Amino acid sequence: ALGLDEGYLMITVQSFLARQPLYDVVFTQYGPAYYLYEWFLHRVLSIPLTHDATRWLCIVHWLSAAVLLGLIGRIMTGSLFAGLFAFSQGVVHLAHLGREPGHPQEIIALLLAFAMVTANRIDKKVGLPALGAVAALLLFIKPNVGIFFAAALFLTLYFHSNRTGAGASGRTWLLIA
């Protein structure tokens, strides 16, 4: 059985595409980046806003995220087998996406998988700004996910750059708390 969000989200996207203002006329709990992405899909790429198209896009997002997870599995381990295993686990564990086509979680899964690839192929000129852009996009799709991602990114950078030695300072423990 498909979730109830599919129709609700398609109605909000349709209203947004009809130039009705978000949060004023169009009730939604999701951020504007989701609607800009949907605008790009349906206006720029001319993908129709139908149940069939929404479900096909769900499959594309699902498999794209799984491919990125497989790629990062291959990169991190150097093993093709591990990459194939990570891909298959991505397919299995992202299967819930198929129960709610058109939901912003599709884009979130794709962005998080992209962030993993980016973090493992990082350089300071491209990688860090790309991770910052992912944090901003997540924040403007679903704020709670963006906040947790940005906090994790901040703590990772903080602890990676903190070369104070063996003991943790009070400030470090405060950040952990």
Side-chain angles (χ1 to χ4, degrees):
L2 294 173
L4 298 175
D5 284 349
E6 180 182 7
Y8 156 71
L9 287 164
M10 288 177 67
I11 290 168
T12 63
V13 169
Q14 183 180 34
S15 298
F16 178 74
L17 294 175
R19 299 180 186 262
Q20 294 180 3
L22 290 176
Y23 318 112
D24 185 21
V25 174
V26 180
F27 171 78
T28 183
Q29 64 269 35
Y30 302 110
Y34 167 72
Y35 289 95
L36 289 174
Y37 180 74
E38 291 291 327
W39 170 84
F40 178 78
L41 291 175
H42 300 294
R43 286 292 188 255
V44 176
L45 298 181
S46 299
I47 297 172
L49 183 59
T50 64
H51 287 283
D52 288 343
T54 299
R55 291 170 186 173
W56 276 108
L57 284 168
C58 177
I59 292 169
V60 168
H61 291 128
W62 178 7
L63 291 178
S64 297
V67 165
L68 287 173
L69 292 172
L71 177 65
I72 195 58
R74 168 77 168 93
I75 290 170
M76 289 177 73
T77 64
S79 166
L80 179 62
F81 177 74
L84 290 172
F85 181 74
F87 167 76
S88 66
Q89 290 300 299
V91 169
V92 169
H93 291 288
L94 293 173
H96 70 280
L97 295 177
R99 290 188 285 279
E100 293 190 278
H103 196 281
Q105 65 193 358
E106 296 172 17
I107 306 161
I108 291 169
L110 195 55
L111 284 170
L112 291 175
F114 172 76
M116 288 181 65
V117 172
T118 302
N120 280 278
R121 302 310 254 174
I122 199 159
D123 67 12
K124 292 180 181 175
K125 290 184 181 180
V126 177
L128 287 176
L131 289 173
V134 168
L137 284 170
L138 290 170
L139 183 66
F140 286 108
I141 292 172
K142 196 166 184 199
N144 58 338
V145 175
I147 289 168
F148 283 116
F149 181 84
L153 183 59
F154 170 77
L155 289 173
T156 300
L157 293 173
Y158 174 80
F159 287 114
H160 180 72
S161 66
N162 189 6
R163 304 188 202 296
T164 59
S169 69
R171 181 179 64 203
T172 300
W173 287 109
L174 184 61
L175 277 173
I176 291 172

